[in-house]
Amino acid sequence: MSAAAAAGTWKLGDLEVNRIGYGAMRLTGNGMMGNSDGRPIDRDIAVGLLHSAFEQGVNHIDTAAFYFSPLRSANELINRALSSWSDDVVVVTKVGPGRDPSGEWLSTVRPDQLRGQVEENLRQLGRDCLDVVNLRAGGSGTASIAEHFGALAELREAGLVRHLGLSAVLPEHVAEAQTIAPVVCVQNSYGLDWRRADESGLVDLCGEQGIAFVPFFAVSGLRREAAAGQEHDACVHSVAAAHHATPAQVRLAWTLHRGPHVLAIPGTTNPAHLAENIAAGSLRLTEEELALLDKPDEGTV
């Protein structure tokens, strides 16, 4: 069994993936909010890192056409890595936000512009059909997503997309989308220090409906795109020491313990951290340790 399979598997529609995946944003050296900018790693090294992830069993990659910096595009790097890889890897991308060639964010995309964003991902990834496309609805509040999701459902019927998901949404958005087309995954910010998806009931809702819940920022938490800072949580340190693990591994393990439908997509450009992230899937926390980490006075938001 591969390292990434230690946490088990889940299906995105008919696509079975190991619960430990990989988020590609960090490969570009550029965070979405500008707080993790840095020179990206060499292209060949980036491709090698992706191949290492695949060799360790990662078969679920998260990306987006708007993951790019002046020198790197996440989709381009994934395309290069997959062009010389024989096994199946599920690529999940997202649409909704957009950036111009200089990197400036564009205004909210109209439903009729989503086809162009899907086609952009198809070109960059070198595919004729995208495995999964998430509609990122961040910033929409409680506004309806029916028109946008309906446009993606039409592209699914046209054969450009295999499965659909949602990102940065509320439970009511999931209910609305499910009346239009099946939702196979939901991506929201979620982790030990940021549990809005628990407060809203979104994590449990996804489990009840057989939808994968895919947290982002599960390790970095409130630091978002920035690398995880020095760990100050004594409980996390205590649990990590008991397992001879790192605090990041404990945070990932806590997330995976939330339910069999919860996946993880930690990103890194460090080979050692990649191996540690994947190994977190085999970390089994006790009920006492989970209760310790769940104490509300330990920084839960």
Side-chain angles (χ1 to χ4, degrees):
M1 181 175 66
S2 67
T9 63
W10 190 262
K11 282 192 172 182
L12 303 176
D14 63 342
L15 303 171
E16 187 170 7
V17 298
N18 291 325
R19 291 177 64 207
I20 293 280
Y22 178 82
M25 183 180 65
R26 294 193 192 281
L27 288 179
T28 69
N30 186 283
M32 306 316 298
M33 301 299 291
N35 63 350
S36 59
D37 292 352
R39 186 171 181 82
I41 60 176
D42 178 84
R43 276 189 172 83
D44 289 338
I45 293 176
V47 171
L49 186 81
L50 287 169
H51 282 169
S52 176
F54 302 157
E55 289 164 359
Q56 294 176 70
V58 169
N59 57 4
H60 167 211
I61 301 291
D62 175 74
T63 186
F66 52 82
Y67 286 177
F68 68 86
S69 64
L71 296 178
R72 298 287 184 272
S73 157
N75 280 357
E76 176 229 339
L77 294 170
I78 292 169
N79 187 341
R80 289 187 59 178
L82 291 176
S83 67
S84 55
W85 187 259
S86 58
D87 294 340
D88 291 334
V89 176
V90 174
V91 178
V92 179
T93 189
K94 60 189 73 67
V95 295
R99 298 165 74 192
D100 68 21
S102 67
E104 293 296 320
W105 289 100
L106 303 173
S107 57
T108 304
V109 65
R110 301 189 309 271
D112 64 308
Q113 294 175 310
L114 289 173
R115 184 182 184 106
Q117 290 194 338
V118 166
E119 290 173 343
E120 180 182 28
N121 279 279
L122 287 167
R123 287 191 298 271
Q124 292 177 353
L125 291 166
R127 297 195 164 194
D128 297 320
C129 177
L130 298 174
D131 294 328
V132 183
V133 172
N134 290 328
L135 173 64
R136 183 168 176 82
S140 64
T142 58
S144 171
I145 62 169
E147 285 191 66
H148 287 79
F149 198 76
L152 288 182
E154 291 178 3
L155 297 179
R156 175 174 171 266
E157 291 297 320
L160 297 182
V161 179
R162 190 165 183 171
H163 298 295
L164 298 176
L166 297 168
S167 178
V169 292
L170 299 171
E172 49 263 43
H173 294 134
V174 178
E176 185 178 39
Q178 287 277 62
T179 66
I180 299 170
V183 174
V184 302
C185 60
V186 171
Q187 282 189 1
N188 269 46
S189 179
Y190 180 75
L192 189 57
D193 299 329
W194 185 257
R195 306 188 202 175
R196 292 281 177 85
D198 280 335
E199 296 171 7
S200 69
L202 186 58
V203 179
D204 290 334
L205 172 69
C206 287
E208 292 164 3
Q209 298 191 18
I211 299 171
F213 183 77
V214 190
F216 51 86
F217 305 147
V219 174
S220 58
L222 300 180
R223 290 175 59 84
R224 296 173 58 84
E225 295 89 350
Q230 183 177 354
E231 181 64 63
H232 295 293
D233 192 318
C235 292
V236 174
H237 271 294
S238 175
V239 174
H243 290 272
H244 304 289
T246 68
Q249 287 178 312
V250 170
R251 288 178 174 272
L252 286 172
W254 177 88
T255 303
L256 292 170
H257 275 72
R258 190 60 183 78
H261 67 296
V262 178
L263 311 186
I265 49 170
T268 182
T269 58
N270 184 310
H273 290 168
L274 173 68
E276 289 174 357
N277 290 342
I278 295 172
S282 62
L283 184 57
R284 301 291 181 262
L285 304 179
T286 67
E287 292 298 323
E288 292 76 13
E289 289 168 338
L290 290 170
L292 179 67
L293 294 170
D294 279 334
K295 282 185 178 180
D297 60 346
E298 294 298 333
T300 301
V301 177

